Amino acid sequence: MGDHHHGPAKGLGRWLFTTNHKDIGTMYLWFSFAMFILGGFFAMVIRAELFQPGMQLVEPAFFNQMTTLHGLVMVFGAIMPSFVGLANWLIPMMIGAPDMALPRMNNWSFWILPPTFLLLASTLFMEGGAPAFGWTFYAPLSTTYAPPSVTFFIFSVHVLGLSSIMGSINIIATVMNMRAPGMTYMKMPLFVWTWLITAFLLVAVMPVLAGAVTMMLMDIHFGTSFFSAAGGGDPVLFQHVFWFFGHPEVYIIILPAFGVVSQIIPAFSRKPLFGYDSMVYATASIAFLSFIVWAHHMYTVGMPVAGELFFMYATMLIAVPTGVKVFNWVSTMWRGALSFETPMLFCLGFLVLFTIGGFTGLMLSIAPADFQYHDSYFVVAHFHYVMVAGAVFSMTAAVYFWLPKWCGKMYNETMGKTHFWISFVGFNLAFFPQHFVGLAGMPRRIPDYALQFADFNMMSSIGAFIYGASQIMFLYNVIATIVSGTPVSDEKVWDGAEGLEWTVPTPAPYHTFETPPKIDPAHAHS
Amino acid sequence: MCFEAKRLFRLALGPVLMLMSAVVMAAGAEVSQVNMRPGVTEVGKEIYDLHMIILWICTIIGVGVFGVMFYSIIYHRKSKGVVPATFHESTKVEIAWTIVPFFILIGMAVPATSTLLNIYDNDDADMDVLITGYQWKWKYEYLDENGENVTFFSNLRTPQNEIYNTESKGEHYLLEVDEPLVLPADTKVRFLVTANDVIHSWWVPDLAVKKDAIPGFINEAWTRTSQEGIYRGQCAELCGKDHGFMPIVVNVVSQGEYDEWLSGKQAEAAEIKELMAQTFTLDQLMERGKSVYDRSCLACHGANGEGGLGNAIANSAVATGDLGEHLEIGINGVPGTAMQAFGGQMNDVDMAAVITYQRNAFGNNMGDMVQPIDVYNHKKG
């Protein structure tokens, strides 16, 4: 361990005042896991109510609060912070930097999150209940017709945006300024590339979200009419503004996941990534396209046909760079020497299920067909294939992949593989049947449904319970590893792993790369 | 080979089990449906064909991609002692897998564009129906050139007892209404879609019509079918507490039956007009008021006026206070709250009856009553 410099401070102060990227990364990861459990608990309430037709456990108004909070907590509390945590841990180690560029801001961008989610969760106990207008909070349901707690929701969103923007600025500053000498942009690991692009997306769209909620605030409390037709405003304006944020947002979630998969698949294929350059260009293309496709979420609002056609063609185009990525991963595996440790299993799960989610995404992009798919369970199935099997599976893979590096101990491989298979079966059981009920006409966000949807909903609930329960095994495995895992001291941990983070000792010392590493100029990229 | 087969089996087990159970479910219960319905309109069939074409293209690409992947998984394993190749990057291959999908997309975009233009062809309709979404019901208004519009509300008919599991559920649980939209067959019907409060969305899968109902704006959609029958749908945009409880039922009948139905509705409207000039006894108002209450007030104010999303009516300051104020709230609602203005959606007879009912039921015992003329006068100011 460190032959010079101090280690971490002692006690609670270490965590409260830390400016160390590894500590902050760790806090982000634990926080996001706690939110994953909370959001998962909301999902379990939803699936329990939908287990059978009829109202059994909760009232419709509370059901709507559950769907709303489930979405908000999972998107803003679980998935986004988890990838920020990963970025904190890995980006400095991957580019040979001693820490993030702005360590004090780093501390703050994390520590404003927990109180914000406490505030958001506390709306459940307020008079009128928590926000019940869906995570997309369309006006005027979220303005004129919202419960009083909406003001607290607006404040939460503002602070979350602040945290994301600070985190992104930090990542951009770090990647642009702190790369080790010789680490040119086209030598950066793909995870760093995808996060750099993601950070630009975040800086571009979080202010738009802040604008949307500020307009809501004005409509609710200060008598403006941005989203009220009665005062000359337009409810559809809200949707345009929201989705101008919302569509890049889904790529903000998935691009770092692409980065993770692009690190792990080559490692367990023991073969370099097939097309590094084209992966970078594909990521940038997806990011660009994400700004000009937002209204494909709004095909049924009554846009002029020319607008519909533009958004349909632009959306279909996204299939091209996304296809490039999938083909690249598959070609990387081709004629490699594959092995199937837990991180690789989760990446393969990602590859298959994300591709299915991509296919349904292509189907949804077809405007005329979307008149039948829109706001049905088909959409719910689609975005859970990309959000859960895409983002969450890759995040899980990342934890298994880098955990031994972080704590110097190996997780239980059998339990990891079991976790994968139970997750895989549970996930598909939960979400595959939702394609069927959606196509058969079941709208989303309903607390009760017609009898012809009963069988598939019951399957879906059982699958969701299985998937939910499998996360307890994940938690146990991670804790058991940290507490009593088999020690590993090999710097590389995995024989196929490439990159600077695998050149530091295992476990990674508190301070790494205080002197920049030498980058072999002949080496193409890590 | 045996070893590989076992591995393959294990890898494929998850999805196969899932598909098998889906098929079993679908075969076992005839009502379980796994695919989009072509529906009963030309547009619906076009959309269905489009959906199937793209589904097949995706399936074929998927089989190709996953085929290559599974081949690698089976044959390119470290445990078989293979030495990994080192190749990467091939401009030719990369250009190919960028260009080929692009052409496939163009192939999809052509039929999609033509179907979309068809969906947007709202011209030359034979009749117009104005659809207005309310929390949580639909209003249908048949626009008539002579101004003799036929208007009615369509509410969920499923009893609360079925929803709360104290009675067994009927065949059309949650998809049944007190008064369906009646349309003639073989007629191009244009829908003008709007909303009174929040955004709703009018969706009937068999007609392949889904259009958002947006307060302050009017959207257009259309349908035409030659197949008589009853088609059911639901509100598709989250619109608050009872979003799941505002179904749509469309009854397509022959032109003759439609004309008969329409003149029946017109006669009914004339009758209401006549009733509006009458004076009722307390008992008559109470009887009518109860049915109006159950239909329009119960969802928020509770079966016994105990309140819920809305305030309690039993023993409330409004229902036991000044009659004029009570009437004002019923007619014009309370702005900024979920209490809507019912003056526009309830005829004066029903309004008089339900206000009277609220003042004399649930333990309220005001003894006063409202006549239709009072409602009329209040509206006039």
Side-chain angles (χ1 to χ4, degrees), chain A residues 55 59 64 145 270 274 278 300-301 303 308 313 316 331 335 338 371-375 428 445 448 455, chain B residues 18 32 51 76 78 85 89 94 113 120 163-165 173 197 203 205 210 212 219 236-237 240 243:
Chain A
M55 300 304 300
E59 287 298 310
N64 290 344
Y145 295 81
R270 294 166 183 80
F274 178 76
S278 62
T300 62
V301 297
M303 266 185 293
E308 299 258 323
Y313 299 149
M316 291 172 79
S331 316
R335 290 184 50 212
L338 306 181
F371 278 85
Q372 291 284 42
Y373 307 139
H374 182 76
D375 267 335
N428 284 294
R445 292 167 166 169
D448 194 8
D455 298 337
Chain B
M18 192 182 72
S32 293
H51 160 75
H76 304 151
K78 190 191 168 210
E89 290 186 10
E94 291 177 74
T113 304
Y120 266 74
I163 296 172
Y164 285 91
N165 312 305
Y173 177 69
D197 34 51
W203 181 26
K210 183 185 284 142
D212 290 0
N219 272 329
E237 181 65 62
H243 162 56

Side-chain angles (χ1 to χ4, degrees), chain B residues 138-159:
Chain B
W138 295 98
K139 183 173 91 169
Y140 299 114
E141 189 164 0
Y142 292 71
L143 303 183
D144 182 270
E145 280 145 18
N146 308 319
E148 300 276 308
N149 291 354
V150 164
T151 306
F152 59 90
F153 280 83
S154 184
N155 299 280
L156 175 72
R157 207 185 58 194
T158 305

Side-chain angles (χ1 to χ4, degrees), chain A residues 183-200:
Chain A
M183 168 78 73
T184 58
Y185 281 109
M186 290 312 271
K187 280 185 186 167
M188 295 195 308
L190 260 170
F191 179 73
V192 180
W193 252 119
T194 53
W195 241 119
L196 179 65
I197 291 170
T198 301
F200 275 103

Side-chain angles (χ1 to χ4, degrees), chain B residues 130-265:
Chain B
L130 176 65
I131 300 174
T132 311
Y134 285 73
Q135 280 182 324
W136 291 277
K137 51 189 160 272
W138 295 98
K139 183 173 91 169
Y140 299 114
E141 189 164 0
Y142 292 71
L143 303 183
D144 182 270
E145 280 145 18
N146 308 319
E148 300 276 308
N149 291 354
V150 164
T151 306
F152 59 90
F153 280 83
S154 184
N155 299 280
L156 175 72
R157 207 185 58 194
T158 305
Q160 294 286 310
N161 289 341
E162 287 188 21
I163 296 172
Y164 285 91
N165 312 305
T166 50
E167 261 174 42
S168 65
K169 299 181 184 357
E171 188 191 349
H172 298 298
Y173 177 69
L174 295 188
L175 296 178
E176 50 197 348
V177 296
D178 53 359
E179 220 180 333
L181 176 70
V182 179
L183 297 177
D186 297 312
T187 305
K188 183 165 181 178
V189 183
R190 177 165 53 195
F191 299 119
L192 303 170
V193 188
T194 186
N196 182 58
D197 34 51
V198 299
I199 300 176
H200 304 267
S201 189
W202 197 83
W203 181 26
V204 179
D206 282 321
L207 302 181
V209 173
K210 183 185 284 142
K211 207 76 187 180
D212 290 0
I214 299 167
F217 293 82
I218 293 178
N219 272 329
E220 290 179 42
W222 68 274
T223 193
R224 174 169 46 210
T225 176
S226 55
Q227 263 172 273
E228 294 171 26
I230 294 175
Y231 308 110
R232 296 168 199 276
Q234 284 179 272
C235 176
E237 181 65 62
L238 177 63
C239 56
K241 180 173 76 80
D242 284 344
H243 162 56
F245 304 94
M246 51 181 291
I248 297 153
V249 179
V250 181
N251 189 5
V252 177
V253 296
S254 69
Q255 187 68 43
E257 277 175 83
Y258 171 77
D259 291 339
E260 202 175 307
W261 171 85
L262 194 67
S263 49
K265 289 301 286 184

